[in-house]
Amino acid sequence: MGSAPSLPAWEIRNLAHTTGFTSEQIEILHRRFLHLTDGKATMSKDCFDNIPDLESNPIKSRIVNAFFDQRNLGLQSYGTVDEITFENFLTTLSFFQHMDENHTKEDLEYYKTEKLQFLFRMYDTNGDGKITLEELREEPDQQYDGITFNDFLQIPKQSAPKCRKAWTIFRLARISDKLYLCHTSARQW
């Protein structure tokens, strides 16, 4: 099997500038993108089925849909696209990236606002600028029965070692067909 085609240096520099990823991270993510797409220049939603860490994520459909939401791709209009390019993939992935303290206070505030808007759009599924109770409840690939207070109190004892790195500091983890709210350590975040 041959090696994946690499990106030109000028494109890596541009992507690093617009996304905040390092050149090395971009090259790794590009190889991963090509692996997920079987070497194609664009990615469809079904390519995300090949990502094991997303398999049991209770908000998998929201995460996947975020990559195809035109608002997250800088198109400023509500709707979705059928396929995304590597640049689109990186742009959306950059919302999940941790921002280090080497930025100015203004930049950090800007990135914080951008991330909050991104998260808001994940739940504002109809694009009306409001998150309704129905939008919060809709999750087509998951059914939640909830957990009792006693189950909640048992989380630190039973599930802490089973909680893996998550998209957020708190996440839901499925353990023995129950959902638990888990806290990830600062090192994982």
Side-chain angles (χ1 to χ4, degrees):
M1 198 169 185
S3 65
S6 61
L7 295 169
W10 64 267
E11 188 171 356
I12 292 173
R13 279 191 305 275
N14 286 345
L15 290 170
H17 177 72
T18 58
T19 65
F21 287 110
T22 66
S23 298
E24 182 181 350
Q25 290 170 325
I26 291 169
E27 290 172 355
I28 291 168
L29 289 168
H30 186 249
R31 285 191 299 272
R32 181 72 172 143
F33 179 88
L34 291 174
H35 173 75
L36 291 170
T37 63
D38 291 325
K40 296 179 183 146
T42 59
M43 176 184 273
S44 59
K45 286 183 181 182
D46 63 330
C47 293
F48 284 86
D49 292 337
N50 300 325
I51 302 175
D53 288 341
L54 273 179
E55 191 59 38
S56 61
N57 192 311
I59 62 167
K60 174 185 176 182
S61 65
R62 289 192 191 274
I63 293 168
V64 172
N65 289 336
F67 280 88
F68 297 86
D69 188 325
Q70 291 180 1
R71 298 170 296 175
N72 297 332
L73 302 176
L75 301 175
Q76 303 303 322
S77 61
Y78 171 72
T80 59
V81 296
D82 294 328
E83 293 187 331
I84 57 172
T85 64
F86 176 64
E87 182 178 356
N88 299 146
F89 176 75
L90 264 190
T91 299
T92 303
L93 199 57
S94 69
F95 287 109
F96 295 99
Q97 179 175 243
H98 171 72
M99 297 306 301
D100 58 26
E101 301 300 319
N102 295 336
H103 294 82
T104 66
K105 186 176 181 178
E106 293 80 21
D107 284 347
L108 289 173
E109 193 60 36
Y110 171 78
Y111 294 131
K112 178 183 173 183
T113 302
E114 287 293 308
K115 286 180 182 213
L116 289 172
Q117 287 176 347
F118 171 79
L119 290 171
F120 182 86
R121 290 188 297 261
M122 283 180 71
Y123 287 88
D124 178 23
T125 56
N126 65 6
D128 68 353
K130 299 176 195 166
I131 298 174
T132 64
L133 191 54
E134 290 78 28
E135 288 171 317
L136 283 174
R137 288 182 179 155
E138 69 183 45
E139 194 56 50
D141 37 337
Q142 296 291 327
Q143 300 251 336
Y144 305 110
D145 292 331
I147 63 172
T148 67
F149 182 71
N150 287 334
D151 288 339
F152 184 78
L153 291 176
Q154 296 300 315
I155 292 170
K157 296 175 192 169
Q158 295 176 352
S159 64
K162 296 179 183 179
C163 292
R164 292 189 287 166
K165 187 173 180 183
W167 294 101
T168 60
I169 291 180
F170 291 98
R171 75 176 183 99
L172 291 173
R174 183 178 297 279
I175 301 168
S176 302
D177 290 290
K178 290 185 179 180
L179 292 175
Y180 294 98
L181 184 65
C182 297
H183 181 272
T184 57
S185 71
R187 267 186 275 209
Q188 288 180 317
W189 177 245

